[in-house]
Amino acid sequence: MKYPSILFVILASWLGFSCNNSKSEEVKKDDVTDYVNDPHSYAKPNTAVVTHLNWDAEVNFDSERIRAVAEWEIKAKDEAKEIIFDTYGLNINKVMVDGEAVDFKLGSFKEELGRPLSIPLSEGAKTVSITYETTDSARALQWLDPEQTAGKEIPFLFTQSQAILARSWIPTQDSPGIRFTYDARVKVPSNMMALMSAENPQSKNTSGEYTFSMPQPIPSYLMALSAGDVVFKSISERTGVYAEPSLLDTSVYEFQDLENMVQAAEGLYGPYAWGQYDIIVLPPSFPFGGMENPRLTFATPTILAGDRSLVSLVAHELAHSWSGNLVTNATWDDFWLNEGFTVYFEHRIMEEVYGRDYSEMLASLTRDELQEAAAEMMKEIPEDTKLKLNLEGRNPDEGVTSIPYNKGYFFLRLIEEEVGRERFDEFLKNYFQENKFKVMTTEGFIDYLMANLLTEEQANRLQIKEWIYEPGLPDNLPVVESDRFAKVDEAQKKILEKNLYPASGVAEAWTTHEWLHFINHLPKDISQEKLAQLDAAYGFTQSGNSEILAAWFQPTIRNNYEPVYPRVESFLIQVGRRKFLTPTYRALLESDKEEMAMDIYEKARPNYHAVSRETMDDLLGYEEEGEESNPA
Ligand code: BES
Ligand code: ZN
């Protein structure tokens, strides 16, 4: 071991590194990777790190608790004295190292981060086994009453681990840079099927006991579990859909293009690495549109539009199978590497499957959204409009804005436009291939970009550094020209000026995206009379399309169009998807309807997952009665 490390020091000083950090010299290059520092995890993976999890769990719907043993296989340096896990509100009952009970220590509680669990290690320790139980403060878990499901008879449980909530249901080293494989045995009530981000069952058994295996290493934010009355139907040999029985056929119809999407993705950036690709349609309180849990995307039912018009979300989650799940952001400050790449890839899949004029509509909507969000954020926290974030000391959830997604997208599109599609695709394909199952920092990506694609002159001209490290939108933001939207603009003029309803023979053929553009581009001040006319002609308030409805809430709420209020209320009570909640509650607040917002929120809040609840509590200045349930 001596020679390699001496060699390393010599090499390093020759290359001009300063070697004043004695810690890093101790690291054996061949058996512990250089993990980057993650301010959102207590783990010290350069000393002792997990490699595999055997998870044995029982899911109890009466007590709303998971009791489990997490047996971790670990890799530690010889001199490692302890291994540190992240926990949040877990009751730790017992810890064993290589089968021997040990004294563990739970450190002090920090907001967002929870407590570090330190476990003493003897030399050569191989496994750490933690017996524990979740508590009411398990922020990842949402336990649903039967009334909150489609079937109304059987309860439901799902998890949402990203960004740092895995630690609230598994003691883990909860940093995106730390990967492990896992096996699991999960017991659920016998009328339910359990599913994980792993090889999954396709039918219920009578015992309620299921086993899982995830042979590819994943970070803990991709740990996922759901349990409920779900059934499976395949779409192709390697793709399929899970949903509650009453939603299965609708879901299969909606996602009919799944296999085509996987093939399109593979054609672009290389083989799908995870075997099976399925989607589970969750109850409407799911706080996101989708979550890219490996092998099993978790999805909101609000994308079941009936006409397949909202499936770009599926393309998005599928794209994460490369950007995010294969090549993973090193820390949440590098989140744009996950999401910006994924939005880019999503648009490319959509273009392959549905054509350029379709994907350019998506790009145009994305651009509008970005410009609006960036303008708002420049007034509040301009720092957060940088691609590379600094979230230390904050909830990483605060980095989930339009910036990593859409500024990230346009940054990549800018590079594509500079070097041409062929070279860019070649570059991306290699990027995924060479970095699969690894982590990526923003700086690592810039190095890779400069080594493989751009000249200094190009990088300077494109203002690469400015894009990544400066706030705001650079002056070379790519332009999107959508012919289909140009036609919408034309028609809208006529419709508004000349009172032509319904759509003067044009709008009959419009798809969801044209309608979204139409609604988003209505004048800010629009009369209630006009809104009523539009509503009568196009039936927006009654729309079964969640995106159209949520878009329609903006001009109507802000211009006090009362007929929409009951629909706003029922929507906010039924749906827990944060992307819809935030703008809708905000519109209520910003148009002097605080009381209405609060009344609705009181009724709706119990239906929301913790992730949405926390955001809405902040937005509405809501304080729960009595003591906050702090796991400290
Ligand atoms: N991985 C995200 C969801 C996420 C991000 C959860 C950060 C927690 C923290 C997922 O892939 C996503 O981006 N979902 C979007 C989909 C959309 C951009 C197509 C959503 O939920 O709206
Ligand atoms: Zn995403």
Side-chain angles (χ1 to χ4, degrees):
M1 278 305 110
K2 233 178 174 177
Y3 291 108
S5 91
I6 286 171
L7 245 178
F8 173 69
V9 172
I10 293 169
L11 251 175
S13 54
W14 179 64
L15 290 168
F17 291 109
S18 67
C19 275
N20 52 8
N21 182 347
S22 60
K23 274 250 173 66
S24 73
E25 281 170 48
E26 285 163 24
V27 173
K28 288 181 203 155
K29 284 288 162 198
D30 54 346
D31 64 6
V32 184
T33 354
D34 260 322
Y35 291 93
V36 299
N37 176 51
D38 176 1
H40 294 109
S41 170
Y42 292 110
K44 294 187 181 143
N46 286 316
T47 309
V49 69
V50 299
T51 58
H52 180 82
L53 168 66
N54 290 302
W55 194 60
D56 194 338
E58 186 166 345
V59 179
N60 188 325
F61 278 83
D62 295 326
S63 60
E64 301 193 338
R65 299 269 195 273
I66 298 175
R67 271 167 174 256
V69 180
E71 186 198 71
W72 288 101
E73 292 168 19
I74 66 167
K75 201 167 70 181
K77 284 201 297 184
D78 291 345
E79 60 274 35
K81 297 267 178 305
E82 58 176 7
I83 182 165
I84 302 177
F85 290 85
D86 295 295
T87 73
Y88 189 98
L90 297 178
N91 282 337
I92 310 290
N93 302 330
K94 184 178 174 186
V95 177
M96 296 201 289
V97 174
D98 289 338
E100 301 267 343
V102 296
D103 280 332
F104 57 89
K105 208 173 75 213
L106 270 175
S108 60
F109 176 83
K110 280 211 194 105
E111 196 73 40
E112 315 303 345
L113 301 184
R115 296 164 177 269
L117 169 63
S118 325
I119 297 170
L121 292 183
S122 36
E123 207 178 313
K126 290 272 175 305
T127 66
V128 170
S129 151
I130 306 165
T131 305
Y132 69 99
E133 198 173 21
T134 62
T135 65
D136 285 344
S137 43
R139 299 199 286 172
L141 306 180
Q142 190 174 14
W143 302 88
L144 299 176
D145 293 333
E147 304 75 61
Q148 293 168 282
T149 68
K152 315 268 179 235
E153 276 172 12
I154 296 175
F156 204 104
L157 166 70
F158 64 79
T159 63
Q160 169 56 43
S161 296
Q162 197 182 11
I164 56 168
L165 308 182
R167 65 190 70 179
S168 76
W169 63 289
I170 305 175
T172 181
Q173 294 189 317
D174 199 5
S175 172
I178 303 175
R179 305 177 92 91
F180 53 88
T181 50
Y182 75 88
D183 290 296
R185 202 182 63 92
V186 180
K187 177 123 178 45
V188 296
S190 59
N191 54 2
M192 295 187 186
M193 178 147 68
L195 298 167
M196 294 190 79
S197 49
E199 275 170 37
N200 275 309
Q202 295 191 337
S203 57
K204 270 188 209 163
N205 62 38
T206 49
S207 67
E209 252 184 60
Y210 296 90
T211 56
F212 303 89
S213 150
M214 172 41 87
Q216 291 99 340
I218 62 167
S220 63
Y221 80 87
L222 296 175
M223 289 298 294
L225 170 70
S226 88
D229 180 20
V230 296
V231 283
F232 175 78
K233 200 161 179 176
S234 66
I235 284 178
S236 67
E237 211 162 301
R238 57 166 169 179
T239 68
V241 182
Y242 294 87
E244 288 189 64
S246 67
L247 288 176
L248 188 65
D249 289 341
T250 322
S251 304
V252 169
Y253 176 86
E254 207 74 22
F255 305 138
Q256 202 54 53
D257 287 328
L258 214 46
E259 175 62 33
N260 295 339
M261 286 184 174
V262 180
Q263 284 179 18
E266 289 188 310
L268 286 166
Y269 303 130
Y272 178 73
W274 308 87
Q276 183 81 14
Y277 180 71
D278 297 324
I279 303 178
I280 177 171
V281 177
L282 293 166
S285 66
F286 185 60
F288 294 103
M291 177 64 213
E292 66 272 26
N293 298 314
R295 299 181 65 109
L296 181 65
T297 284
F298 281 23
T300 170
T302 61
I303 55 169
L304 301 175
D307 59 4
R308 300 178 185 159
S309 64
L310 301 180
V311 293
S312 62
L313 184 132
V314 173
H316 179 96
E317 304 313 332
L318 170 66
H320 272 306
S321 307
W322 288 258
S323 43
N325 298 5
L326 267 193
V327 185
T328 308
N329 54 205
T331 72
W332 300 115
D333 289 344
D334 306 298
F335 184 52
W336 77 276
L337 293 177
N338 271 22
E339 296 300 342
F341 277 68
T342 298
V343 173
Y344 177 83
F345 196 171
E346 164 200 339
H347 287 163
R348 294 295 306 276
I349 295 171
M350 294 307 283
E351 179 177 332
E352 290 296 314
V353 180
Y354 302 102
R356 175 104 178 150
D357 67 333
Y358 188 111
S359 62
E360 283 298 90
M361 290 197 291
L362 298 177
S364 175
L365 290 166
T366 300
R367 196 174 191 276
D368 288 350
E369 192 187 311
L370 172 61
Q371 286 192 302
E372 199 175 314
E376 277 305 305
M377 290 171 69
M378 286 302 281
K379 288 187 234 155
E380 292 160 14
I381 316 180
E383 298 292 292
D384 286 352
T385 63
K386 300 174 180 178
L387 282 179
K388 170 88 180 193
L389 298 169
N390 180 4
L391 296 164
E392 184 163 4
R394 299 167 67 190
N395 186 339
D397 211 32
E398 290 177 38
V400 187
T401 70
S402 186
I403 297 299
Y405 286 83
N406 302 334
K407 186 179 174 183
Y409 164 72
F410 279 104
F411 175 61
L412 295 174
R413 180 165 167 150
L414 178 74
I415 299 172
E416 181 210 303
E417 289 178 2
E418 168 70 20
V419 302
R421 195 166 255 197
E422 212 175 308
R423 281 191 66 205
F424 193 55
D425 280 352
E426 175 76 15
F427 167 81
L428 281 184
K429 197 171 185 166
N430 293 336
Y431 170 75
F432 290 126
Q433 174 63 29
E434 288 169 30
N435 296 293
K436 62 183 172 194
F437 299 110
K438 292 195 185 142
V439 299
M440 187 56 64
T441 60
T442 299
E443 291 64 37
F445 173 69
I446 298 175
D447 288 349
Y448 190 85
L449 184 67
M450 296 313 295
N452 295 288
L453 195 64
L454 293 185
T455 64
E456 288 293 336
E457 185 278 321
Q458 286 175 307
N460 290 334
R461 181 161 40 78
L462 296 179
Q463 312 175 73
I464 297 296
K465 288 271 152 70
E466 187 176 339
W467 270 87
I468 294 177
Y469 295 110
E470 300 295 329
L473 299 177
D475 55 16
N476 56 348
L477 182 71
V479 173
V480 178
E481 274 167 33
S482 164
D483 295 345
R484 285 170 68 172
F485 282 177
K487 292 199 182 104
V488 174
D489 292 336
E490 231 173 83
Q492 184 173 71
K493 242 182 164 175
K494 284 190 207 147
I495 289 167
L496 293 176
E497 282 166 14
K498 302 192 180 136
N499 283 330
L500 291 174
Y501 304 103
S504 56
V506 186
E508 285 86 353
W510 285 354
T511 65
T512 297
H513 304 97
E514 280 136 328
W515 284 117
L516 288 174
H517 181 83
F518 179 88
I519 295 169
N520 292 342
H521 286 251
L522 287 172
K524 287 260 169 296
D525 289 310
I526 180 167
S527 70
Q528 290 162 24
E529 193 193 350
K530 204 91 193 167
L531 288 167
Q533 286 169 359
L534 292 170
D535 208 4
Y538 309 125
F540 294 134
T541 301
Q542 298 317 318
S543 175
N545 186 300
S546 59
E547 292 281 352
I548 290 179
L549 197 57
W552 177 240
F553 289 162
Q554 289 303 314
T556 52
I557 291 174
R558 290 177 188 275
N559 290 287
N560 310 315
Y561 175 66
E562 288 182 17
V564 84
Y565 297 174
R567 195 75 185 90
V568 170
E569 171 159 348
S570 62
F571 186 81
L572 290 176
I573 289 174
Q574 231 239 328
V575 173
R577 183 175 171 190
R578 190 168 66 176
K579 176 188 160 194
F580 294 145
L581 304 186
T582 305
T584 307
Y585 280 112
R586 186 168 279 157
L588 290 170
L589 294 182
E590 289 173 358
S591 59
D592 294 324
K593 290 187 261 299
E594 194 171 332
E595 208 172 307
M596 180 172 158
M598 281 312 225
D599 283 351
I600 297 175
Y601 190 53
E602 284 284 353
K603 294 183 223 170
R605 190 174 182 277
N607 190 36
Y608 296 162
H609 182 277
V611 161
S612 291
R613 224 187 297 134
E614 284 167 20
T615 310
M616 296 313 124
D617 284 358
D618 276 354
L619 180 67
L620 294 163
Y622 181 93
E623 274 180 46
E624 218 174 347
E625 285 195 13
E627 221 30 61
E628 259 294 320
S629 66
N630 196 331

